[in-house]
Amino acid sequence: MSIGKLIKELRLKAGYNSLSELADACGISKSAISRIEAGISKPTPETLRTLAPFLNVEPQQLMTAAGYMPNGQQPTHLETNWPETIKILRRSSKKASGYDKMIARIIEAALEDK
């Protein structure tokens, strides 16, 4: 089952009969949830972490369904907070040596591909 279909199924099971109800409860826009459920966009780990408690599931279940981690694997801080991690890398790379900047760019590119 796709992550979008799973989220829709969990939304209905949790009693949110409309996208607006879930959007109002969790703070994610109705259009973003709609695109996820329709399979148009893939939710970020941060979005999945935000949705999980409203859908009555653990974030790991959604992360696994979205393909961010194999079954049973716990997410790392980098995986669940990648936008924050990228900001930290960008700030620290301004003060870093050439080698450190290269490593920061590699990590940033890998995280953005997720």
Side-chain angles (χ1 to χ4, degrees):
M1 174 183 299
S2 73
I3 186 64
K5 288 181 183 179
L6 175 62
I7 288 173
K8 181 175 183 177
E9 181 180 292
L10 292 170
R11 172 178 58 83
L12 295 171
K13 187 176 177 182
Y16 298 103
N17 295 315
S18 72
L19 294 172
S20 296
E21 290 175 5
L22 179 58
D24 291 342
C26 72
I28 297 172
S29 73
K30 176 183 168 184
S31 62
I33 296 170
S34 175
R35 288 190 310 272
I36 291 166
E37 287 189 2
I40 296 168
S41 64
K42 182 177 179 180
T44 65
E46 177 119 358
T47 298
L48 296 175
R49 276 196 350 205
T50 300
L51 284 172
F54 296 94
L55 301 177
N56 302 317
V57 296
E58 292 295 321
Q60 291 82 358
Q61 181 181 346
L62 296 178
M63 301 276 252
T64 300
Y68 287 110
M69 62 180 42
N71 282 329
Q73 180 181 337
Q74 296 295 315
T76 66
H77 178 75
L78 291 176
E79 291 168 328
T80 58
N81 296 299
W82 66 269
E84 175 189 333
T85 302
I86 289 172
K87 288 178 192 172
I88 291 167
L89 288 170
R90 285 183 178 146
R91 276 196 310 261
S92 63
S93 70
K94 290 177 184 173
K95 302 173 191 170
S97 69
Y99 182 73
D100 292 339
K101 287 180 182 179
M102 180 183 69
I103 291 172
R105 284 194 301 267
I106 291 168
I107 293 170
E108 181 179 329
L111 292 171
E112 287 178 342
D113 285 344
K114 288 196 172 229

